Amino acid sequence: MKAVIFDLDNTLFDHTGSAAAAVQAWIPQLGGTPSDALLAEWFAIEDRVYPRWIAGELTHQGQRRARLHEFLPLLDYPVPATEPEQDEFFAGYLELYKANWSAYPDARPALEVARSNDWRVGILTNGSTVQQNAKLEVIGLADLVDVVCTTESLGVSKPDPQSYLRTCAHLGVTPAETLMIGDNLDLDVLGAQAAGLTARHLNRPAGHLLTDLLPRVWQQYDELADDLSPRTDEDWPTDRELIDHEVVATEEDK
Ligand SMILES: [Mg+2]
């Protein structure tokens, strides 16, 4: 391996936690009472509407407006009449979302392993260039990343094979030299494998950690070295053993 490509949302960046905290704080501002059901609706709407931006049916701002049209009626809250008003309204949520941006605790250690392996490090995300780069800056990981590729910057999205191939090209590596890690089986694993990369699925609900999925090259060398050479003086024969051996050998010669 010469490079690793990470997905961003729910892989390095805790999107679900950040968004959940934001929605829980936002709902009371809209006169509602936060509940697990409303939170589940927020994410269900996001899952339904966001792909319409990926598919080119809506602009990035347009998918935000569409989410308001679906979510606010659940609170009996009127959707602002004009698009500028809707954008200003959505900014209230975004402010809370940004205030809660956070990396998973294993994100920086994983990036540091990749760097200590002397690997190139890329991000491939189905997101907007400005927002995804801002996330990396705010959560303090931007300095460990060589290349950030987004739906906007590439003009294609996962699982289009070109998304992985172009990210590899930006990193200056071939797909065969590249490991992809992400939380979405279809987008981060199966799509990457179809494009010729090695891929590993980060299943956080099953307890996976990024650091478990990332081989540590120098540790492997260290372990190999341990197998090949004695670790302590006790592993070497003592002078007494060497002498006894010579004695035995001498007797056998007789
Ligand atoms: Mg993801």
Side-chain angles (χ1 to χ4, degrees):
M1 289 298 155
K2 289 187 177 175
V4 57
I5 299 172
F6 292 98
D7 166 57
L8 183 58
D9 288 341
N10 289 335
T11 294
L12 299 172
F13 169 76
D14 185 2
H15 167 70
T16 300
S18 306
V23 173
Q24 302 280 30
W26 195 40
I27 288 173
Q29 294 180 10
L30 310 179
T33 305
S35 67
D36 290 347
L38 275 174
L39 196 57
E41 284 291 345
W42 175 263
F43 286 113
I45 291 167
E46 182 183 81
D47 287 346
R48 212 162 43 237
V49 175
Y50 193 77
R52 296 179 61 197
W53 172 63
I54 300 295
E57 295 170 19
L58 295 169
T59 63
H60 197 262
Q61 202 59 38
Q63 59 86 24
R64 290 172 169 170
R65 295 175 197 136
R67 285 157 63 191
L68 288 182
H69 277 284
E70 292 205 36
F71 187 68
L72 293 184
L74 303 177
L75 300 170
D76 290 324
Y77 197 97
V79 179
T82 67
E83 290 189 345
E85 285 169 335
Q86 290 164 20
D87 295 347
E88 191 181 331
F89 195 88
F90 198 89
Y93 161 74
L94 282 181
E95 196 176 313
L96 294 166
Y97 177 48
K98 289 178 184 173
N100 285 286
W101 279 356
S102 57
Y104 285 103
D106 56 345
R108 174 166 276 273
L111 290 169
E112 286 173 345
V113 167
R115 301 225 70 107
S116 73
N117 287 349
D118 215 13
W119 290 0
R120 301 273 288 156
V121 175
I123 304 286
L124 174 57
T125 165
N126 284 357
S128 82
T129 299
V130 168
Q131 188 174 48
Q132 300 303 70
N133 277 285
K135 284 176 186 171
L136 284 167
E137 286 289 342
V138 168
I139 64 178
L141 301 181
D143 60 320
L144 295 171
V145 174
D146 296 308
V147 168
V148 179
C149 292
T150 71
T151 294
E152 278 183 341
S153 72
L154 296 176
V156 287
S157 300
K158 296 177 283 187
D160 185 321
Q162 282 300 321
S163 65
Y164 315 97
L165 300 179
R166 289 179 195 176
T167 305
C168 289
H170 281 294
L171 288 166
V173 295
T174 67
E177 295 168 334
T178 307
L179 171 67
M180 168 111 206
I181 297 177
D183 70 298
N184 187 302
L185 186 63
D186 291 324
L187 303 183
D188 302 321
V189 180
L190 300 179
Q193 288 172 341
L197 289 75
T198 300
R200 290 189 176 165
H201 185 213
L202 175 70
N203 187 346
R204 290 201 180 273
H208 291 181
L209 290 176
L210 282 170
T211 37
D212 296 334
L213 302 182
L214 202 64
R216 190 189 291 268
V217 171
W218 289 108
Q219 185 181 50
Q220 287 175 341
Y221 285 143
D222 289 346
E223 284 166 3
L224 184 66
D226 285 346
D227 288 342
L228 293 176
S229 61
R231 181 175 285 187
T232 68
D233 290 340
E234 290 171 10
D235 292 321
W236 292 100
T238 62
D239 289 345
R240 164 59 62 187
E241 286 166 340
L242 287 171
I243 292 165
D244 288 349
H245 177 74
E246 283 174 7
V247 170
V248 171
T250 306
E251 286 171 351
E252 279 174 357
D253 285 345
K254 284 182 181 171

